[in-house]
Amino acid sequence: MPLSEHEQRMLEQMERALYAEDPKFASALEGSGLRTYTRRRVYQAVAGFLVGIALLMAGMVAQLIWVSVVGFLVMLGCAVLAVTGWRKGPKPGEQPAGAVRRQARPKRSMMDRIEERWQRRRDGQGQ
């Protein structure tokens, strides 16, 4: 189901805000794809979870309660990151919602889109 004109405008506005706020992050998402990003995030969370287990065990062996508590908190935080990253990721064989729209049109820069909109407004007002 295609997006309505209002939804497309809102999506473009959010993209512009993302590019303005953090262009490096936005280009990383655009270049490698959302699925690769979420997979990398889940792998990092699993590695952090293992580090949390190691801290928990080290705290138990050394009888330092605060190290065990830190290890548990690291495990908890990484588990939350892994679960949220896994749920947000696209299913196998499925493309992210934005990828379908982007494949239909050739890739254009933000300035090209702004210039095209400006031309449409100017042509609409001149009639």
Side-chain angles (χ1 to χ4, degrees), residues 5-72:
E5 187 175 321
H6 175 70
E7 291 171 332
Q8 287 177 352
R9 280 193 310 244
M10 294 296 293
L11 183 60
E12 288 172 358
Q13 197 174 39
M14 289 174 13
E15 286 176 358
R16 282 195 305 270
L18 178 62
Y19 274 107
E21 185 177 319
D22 195 354
K24 187 175 180 182
F25 176 71
S27 64
L29 281 180
E30 186 177 77
S32 63
L34 183 61
R35 184 176 181 163
T36 303
Y37 172 74
T38 55
R39 184 182 305 146
R40 187 179 327 129
R41 181 177 172 190
V42 168
Y43 289 154
Q44 289 172 348
V46 168
F49 188 83
L50 295 175
V51 168
I53 289 175
L55 283 172
L56 182 70
M57 296 302 230
M60 301 277 287
V61 169
Q63 294 183 352
L64 296 172
I65 300 297
W66 66 272
V67 174
S68 296
V69 170
V70 168
F72 177 76

Side-chain angles (χ1 to χ4, degrees), residues 84-98:
T84 58
W86 192 263
R87 285 185 183 166
K88 289 181 183 176
K91 306 283 184 265
E94 179 182 287
Q95 294 179 346

Side-chain angles (χ1 to χ4, degrees), residues 106-120:
K107 190 172 181 179
R108 299 177 298 170
S109 71
M110 184 174 63
M111 289 303 291
D112 290 338
R113 292 191 308 251
I114 291 172
E115 188 174 329
E116 180 182 327
R117 271 190 242 128
W118 177 257
Q119 291 294 331
R120 278 188 290 180

